[in-house]
Amino acid sequence: MQPDRKLLSGNEALATAALHAGITMGSGYPGTPSSEILEEFNKGGGFARWSPNEKVALEVGIGVAFAGGRALVTMKHVGVNVAADPYFSVAYTGVDGALVIVSADDPGMSSSQNEQDNRRFALAAGMPTIEPSNSQETYDFFLEAVRLSEEWHSPVMFRMTTRVCHSKSLVKFADESFAPPKPGFTRNIPGRVMIPAHARPAHRRMRDRLAKLQAWNETSALNTVHEGDAALGIITSGISYVHVREAAPDARVLKLGMTYPLPFERIRQFAQSVKRCVVIEEGDPYLVEQLRMNGIAVEDKPEAFRFGELNVNRVRRILANDTSPETVIKGGKPPELCAGCPHRMTFLTLNRLNCIVSGDIGCYTLGALPPFEAMDSQLCMGASIGIGLGLRHTLPQNEARRVVSVIGDSTFFHSGLTGIAEMVYNPPKNGHIVLILDNGTTAMTGMQEHPGTGRSLDHMAAQQILPEDVVRAMGVANVKTVGYGRELEDALSEAMAQDAVTVIVMRQPCRLMKVKTPAPKCEGENDDE
């Protein structure tokens, strides 16, 4: 018999809730802190797949929900930028089944290039949003998110943050079970085809749905009040609630579980019930701005606390109006490329050739740090190629020839293909060089599979797509596949002397891959074989 409670991380709790909610399919792109959700869902028997990027993952999820199924789509916060096109439009169309989109935000940038607050995306797109504060709420609130999505025919964003994703607490499972979804296609051209004539009324329907959801949220059990001394009232959400309860155990606290659309009347009544009302929220002043715009007077945190994660001590300082400089915590060992990593030799080679390196997102981004310091720019997934082309178009010839775009294999499939199309379609007069570092895995987030590995999410054998085949098909004539060291240096030197577009695939497996990723298996093959 399965125990009725377990010690689970937020990601594990969400995966368990997805199994209990009868999710038809999970899709996503790996990104810390969300990567474990689909893997755990798959281990539990759920049907899950990695997509080439977040946009495709969301589109697959939308298709599942259009067909009456229940879809779970996972990504980290910056992944929502990639998925923004379908994200905004599915808020208009709504869904037939259920669609829950996980945005795992990273306040403090533990492993991200920015610390955007994706509650802004909820407001901009008109996407109902739920925020849990611990593993139990992650489990309970996800079940509620599936119910809401199905009953209101609306997609729902489920916003988690790093500490909720990775910290563990006991989770008690629900007694009730979900009836299986009833897939089936219903033709609805005005509701599903977003040409302007259909999108205009769809926008009005979406706003009407949000107004009703806002009224529903006024009495929703997702929002709770912890009674306490009326001298101090705190409005909060997510992980901030945990810090608040420890920092101010005697305060009266309104914890918001559904942070879009907000229950303004309920909040107003709470604010009027206390002498002093402070908003404690991690990241942007999202709640503060919304409340003040609706005439609810609340105190904000000082600007210094907008950056990084909150903790108990920082919350105490906010409540005490303590704006003195914070103690700088001494950092640990700085991150670096692993011993024996083939990327180390690659960046030494790029340095030796005095290349201007337009870099990308992946573990190889560490090539920007000492002792290599061999990456000159890095913004977002796939940007290495476009930025490299811009540099080539602009710099004097002697400098332009030194520009090399460096991108990993998973990132190439995620967002590099359109950059290659731009390079072939609008080549700089001195050509360009794209160096694909193919280590056979998505190493940075924990060895996940991608279209180039020949394995699916569960490490079963799958159709493999080779980057060199793709770029040849897209019109790149000069394509080389090399190992690292002398082979790579010769290939780069030759390409830098030419006025042509060139793609070099440096193929060398990640040193950690054998440890973390099992060999591919075929259908029916067990682990002992």
Side-chain angles (χ1 to χ4, degrees):
M1 178 182 292
Q2 291 290 320
D4 67 348
R5 65 182 66 196
K6 279 186 176 178
L7 182 66
L8 298 175
S9 69
N11 284 348
E12 291 167 335
L14 195 148
T16 306
L19 290 166
H20 293 180
I23 288 293
T24 309
M25 181 179 181
S27 58
Y29 183 81
T32 305
S34 69
S35 303
E36 298 85 5
I37 296 171
L38 287 189
E39 292 173 329
E40 291 297 322
F41 176 63
N42 179 257
K43 285 178 190 172
F47 174 43
R49 291 289 182 266
W50 291 127
S51 296
N53 67 23
E54 294 86 353
K55 178 176 182 289
V56 177
L58 179 52
E59 289 161 349
V60 171
I62 291 170
V64 170
F66 277 178
R70 294 174 185 148
L72 162 66
V73 183
T74 70
M75 60 195 73
K76 66 182 298 175
H77 63 305
V78 289
V80 180
N81 303 341
V82 180
D85 262 1
Y87 178 89
F88 274 71
S89 292
V90 76
Y92 277 28
T93 64
V95 292
D96 287 340
L99 173 61
V100 181
I101 305 161
V102 174
S103 168
D105 290 10
D106 186 17
M109 296 179 282
S110 298
S111 58
S112 308
Q113 65 269 40
N114 69 37
E115 56 180 340
Q116 69 190 47
D117 186 333
N118 276 1
R119 294 176 299 178
R120 303 286 196 190
F121 262 112
L123 183 66
M127 183 75 71
T129 296
I130 292 174
E131 291 187 67
S133 64
N134 57 32
S135 297
Q136 181 68 64
E137 283 192 354
T138 300
Y139 177 87
D140 294 337
F141 285 11
F142 183 82
L143 297 180
E144 189 62 20
V146 174
R147 283 194 196 92
L148 273 175
S149 182
E150 219 160 50
E151 290 175 15
W152 291 83
H153 301 291
S154 170
V156 173
M157 184 162 85
F158 201 81
R159 179 182 182 257
M160 301 171 76
T161 54
T162 305
R163 295 296 151 185
V164 176
C165 289
H166 290 163
S167 58
K168 291 197 173 193
S169 59
L170 275 176
V171 176
K172 187 177 187 305
F173 301 140
D175 295 327
E176 59 183 319
S177 59
F178 278 61
K182 297 177 180 177
F185 186 74
T186 303
R187 173 163 277 181
N188 180 6
I189 293 174
R192 298 283 180 264
V193 181
M194 288 298 98
I195 58 175
H198 297 166
R200 292 185 191 107
H203 187 190
R204 293 181 183 277
R205 287 196 298 272
M206 185 263 280
R207 293 295 166 193
D208 180 61
R209 185 167 62 237
L210 285 173
K212 292 174 180 172
L213 266 169
Q214 183 172 349
W216 174 87
N217 200 25
E218 294 287 353
T219 56
S220 165
L222 291 168
N223 311 306
T224 53
V225 173
H226 171 81
E227 293 298 344
D229 190 340
L232 174 62
I234 300 175
I235 299 170
T236 188
S237 67
I239 191 66
S240 301
Y241 171 74
V242 179
H243 305 318
V244 162
R245 291 289 291 117
E246 188 169 346
D250 297 328
R252 183 177 294 174
V253 181
L254 171 59
K255 180 170 73 63
L256 298 167
M258 188 171 190
T259 48
Y260 185 80
L262 285 165
F264 289 113
E265 290 310 312
R266 189 169 186 175
I267 296 171
R268 194 185 315 276
Q269 289 172 14
F270 176 84
Q272 290 171 348
S273 74
V274 296
K275 187 174 181 181
R276 178 191 177 199
C277 191
V278 184
V279 173
I280 301 291
E281 56 184 328
E282 209 168 52
D284 290 356
Y286 163 80
L287 291 174
V288 167
E289 290 173 1
Q290 294 303 304
L291 301 188
R292 287 177 176 171
M293 283 175 60
N294 281 273
I296 302 172
V298 291
E299 287 184 36
D300 190 5
K301 61 181 184 289
E303 180 70 4
F305 296 99
R306 180 175 184 158
F307 308 99
E309 292 184 290
L310 293 183
N311 55 37
V312 176
N313 186 51
R314 297 189 90 196
V315 171
R316 287 188 178 124
R317 286 168 56 88
I318 294 169
L319 294 174
N321 291 317
D322 182 354
T323 56
S324 62
E326 294 185 84
T327 303
V328 178
I329 299 172
K330 192 175 180 181
K333 179 177 174 290
E336 62 176 352
L337 292 169
C338 300
C341 172
H343 299 333
R344 300 177 74 91
M345 184 67 75
T346 300
F347 286 110
L348 286 173
T349 302
L350 291 164
N351 255 343
R352 191 155 48 240
L353 296 176
N354 195 27
C355 293
I356 299 170
V357 177
S358 175
D360 224 300
I361 305 283
C363 58
Y364 52 92
T365 311
L366 295 171
L369 300 179
F372 309 103
E373 298 180 273
M375 186 175 287
D376 298 288
S377 67
Q378 173 263 335
L379 288 184
C380 62
M381 298 285 277
S384 61
I385 301 176
I387 291 173
L389 291 170
L391 290 166
R392 283 261 182 173
H393 282 301
T394 307
L395 290 171
Q397 183 174 332
N398 62 331
E399 282 189 278
R401 285 186 182 281
R402 293 161 44 209
V403 177
V404 178
S405 293
V406 175
I407 189 169
D409 47 341
S410 184
T411 311
F412 169 77
F413 287 108
H414 179 285
S415 295
L417 297 173
T418 45
I420 296 291
E422 168 69 10
M423 180 176 73
V424 173
Y425 184 53
N426 296 311
K429 62 182 179 182
N430 295 121
H432 188 45
I433 304 169
V434 174
L435 173 59
I436 301 174
L437 303 181
D438 185 354
N439 64 1
T441 186
T442 313
M444 186 178 189
T445 49
M447 306 296 168
Q448 286 81 22
E449 311 292 355
H450 62 71
T453 66
R455 299 177 295 268
S456 57
L457 180 143
D458 54 2
H459 310 298
M460 301 294 287
Q463 179 70 47
Q464 184 179 28
I465 306 172
L466 294 174
E468 54 266 41
D469 292 345
V470 174
V471 297
R472 283 194 186 99
M474 294 178 75
V476 180
N478 296 328
V479 182
K480 284 194 172 182
T481 303
V482 300
Y484 66 108
R486 191 70 203 181
E487 275 187 71
L488 173 62
E489 185 163 346
D490 289 346
L492 281 169
S493 298
E494 183 182 336
M496 290 167 71
Q498 296 177 351
D499 293 334
V501 292
T502 300
V503 171
I504 301 170
V505 180
M506 198 285 282
R507 181 159 292 131
Q508 193 70 25
C510 173
R511 297 280 291 178
L512 301 178
M513 193 162 60
K514 284 186 179 178
V515 178
K516 295 189 175 179
T517 305
K521 296 179 291 186
C522 295
E523 205 69 53
E525 186 181 15
N526 62 44
D527 292 335
D528 298 329
E529 293 176 305

